[in-house]
Amino acid sequence: MGEKRALLSDRWLIDQVTAVTQQFLRSLPGHNTPDTPGPSPAAGPGLSAETLTLAEAGRIRRAYKITEAALPRLVLEAAEDGREATAIARDLAVTPSYVYRILRERVRYTWRVDVLADDAWAERGAGLSVVERALGSKAALAEKILAETAPPHPARVLVWEGRRAADEDATHTLTRPEPGP
């Protein structure tokens, strides 16, 4: 909540990641990776280490950093959709052990912050968070969300492991302070 999103379009990011991935795959011995149709806005068909400009390198590095930060979420979402770890690894050009490690060490929670208004809960904000899988990670996340959003009281945070579902299916609920009778 309150986070500003970078001014990058999804298409631009996909084009950047595709260009970098293709360049990487083409550099591997024995791989025959075709170019995707259509030029990339930052990298033409002649992209190589010798012709890369400073501006192109900067855009690619920024796209890479964004992609790396998004990988745990992408892996967890793909697994929730029923994708196998080996297929996820192939699509992301990472090793299956990297995917298994994310699945073992991380968890994706969706959450919602509600405030009590006119004796009914009203949604104030929602989001998703990927955190280290640990005992009490849901409770710690709920505490952090309440501290960061500082909603008027009383307020509650509902947390679901994976995708958001019905309120009664929340795996953790934190209410501060508890509403009166």
Side-chain angles (χ1 to χ4, degrees), residues 34-104:
D35 289 330
T36 56
S40 169
L47 178 68
S48 70
E50 293 79 27
T51 62
L52 191 67
T53 67
L54 184 63
E56 289 169 340
R59 285 192 297 270
I60 291 168
R61 285 187 52 81
R62 285 188 294 279
Y64 171 80
K65 288 179 181 195
I66 292 168
T67 302
E68 284 300 301
L71 280 181
R73 178 187 55 81
L74 296 170
V75 166
L76 292 166
E77 287 174 354
E80 286 174 14
D81 290 338
R83 302 282 313 273
E84 293 186 14
T86 53
I88 297 168
R90 185 178 52 251
D91 289 347
L92 294 174
V94 297
T95 63
S97 64
Y98 178 76
V99 172
Y100 285 120
R101 187 179 49 167
I102 289 173
L103 295 172
R104 184 178 59 250

Side-chain angles (χ1 to χ4, degrees), residues 4 27 37-38 41-42 80 83 89 94 134 151 153 169:
K4 286 191 174 182
S27 73
E80 286 174 14
R83 302 282 313 273
V94 297
H153 291 289
D169 294 330

Side-chain angles (χ1 to χ4, degrees), residues 3 40 43 49 52 92 109 113 115 126 129 133 135 145 147 160 174 178-179:
E3 227 174 84
S40 169
L52 191 67
L92 294 174
Y109 293 121
V113 176
V115 294
S129 298
R133 186 180 297 275
L135 187 62
I145 292 166
W160 297 267
L174 173 64
E178 290 292 329

